[in-house]
Amino acid sequence: MLVADEDTLLIRYHVESAPSDVRILVRPFFAYRDIHALSQENGLLNDYCERIHRGFIIKPYEGMPPFYMVADGNADLTIQWLWYRNFEYEWERKRGFPYREDLFTPAVFSFILATDGEMIFRCSTDAGSSNLGSLWQNEYGRRVSERKTSSKVCDDVDACLIKATGSYIIRNRSDHLSVIA
């Protein structure tokens, strides 16, 4: 779930039912590139990965923002830089665009969840909040509230269009408006 007004993604793992505890491995993959480019394995990658409380921070390329990934619970973290090659994007291939890229991964998280257990990860370009459960609940509540107000019949077409764009318009790091899709 993307958090409003932040460069933050929350990922929640939840076990609803299982005959026994479930071990989950999370290995994040990164392209760390311009949105219109594809990455290839290269020697410019800074493979330093710093352990922080319940997670890591990487600064893979000079001039790019750092990336933080933290868990809200206890998870084993193994630093293990690897390149995975030849990810293919079928849609791009069909459109006649370059469609194959390499992605790197700096680490793998391992944790165990019991039935009704959960783990939330925060992925962001800033250090941010340490209470991920509250951040999840606040963003979820904001979305539920927004859905309730947006489900009402809209009589003013202009107002409806402006309201709908709020899901796609963000402020970038330079405080300029940008469109995400």
Side-chain angles (χ1 to χ4, degrees):
M1 174 167 50
L2 290 172
V3 178
D5 302 322
E6 290 188 28
D7 288 334
T8 300
L9 171 69
L10 298 176
I11 303 168
R12 179 176 171 254
Y13 293 88
H14 177 82
V15 175
E16 289 185 10
S17 176
S20 62
D21 292 351
V22 177
R23 174 171 296 280
I24 299 175
L25 302 176
V26 175
R27 178 180 292 280
F29 288 92
F30 294 89
Y32 233 83
R33 58 171 167 74
D34 178 85
I35 194 169
H36 299 294
L38 295 177
S39 65
Q40 301 300 313
E41 182 175 359
N42 63 78
L44 299 175
L45 179 71
N46 173 11
D47 63 358
Y48 177 73
C49 184
E50 179 183 343
R51 288 177 185 271
I52 58 176
H53 182 64
R54 295 189 172 165
F56 66 82
I57 177 176
I58 59 172
K59 299 175 186 174
Y61 293 107
E62 187 70 33
M64 298 286 282
F67 182 87
Y68 298 80
M69 186 166 180
V70 295
D72 74 335
N74 293 323
D76 293 328
L77 176 65
T78 303
I79 306 297
Q80 183 182 39
W81 280 90
L82 296 171
W83 279 96
Y84 281 69
R85 296 176 193 88
N86 298 319
F87 283 80
E88 295 186 355
Y89 306 111
E90 186 64 18
W91 178 252
E92 297 299 311
R93 187 189 65 75
K94 287 180 180 177
R95 295 173 53 207
F97 291 114
Y99 62 94
R100 189 175 289 145
E101 82 173 325
D102 302 334
L103 301 175
F104 67 88
T105 175
V108 61
F109 288 93
S110 173
F111 55 95
I112 296 173
L113 292 180
T115 294
D116 209 33
E118 74 174 22
M119 177 75 76
I120 299 172
F121 286 91
R122 181 181 186 278
C123 306
S124 186
T125 54
D126 65 74
S129 169
S130 59
N131 190 336
L132 301 185
S134 292
L135 185 59
W136 179 276
Q137 289 302 322
N138 290 342
E139 179 60 21
Y140 183 80
R142 185 194 68 75
R143 288 168 178 239
V144 168
S145 175
E146 188 175 89
R147 249 183 255 125
K148 285 179 183 175
T149 60
S150 67
S151 65
K152 296 175 184 169
V153 175
C154 194
D155 297 326
D156 181 355
V157 173
D158 288 340
C160 289
L161 288 173
I162 290 169
K163 186 176 185 178
T165 61
S167 299
Y168 303 101
I169 305 284
I170 62 165
R171 289 211 171 266
N172 63 24
R173 283 179 209 80
S174 303
D175 202 34
H176 295 101
L177 293 176
S178 295
V179 176
I180 58 170

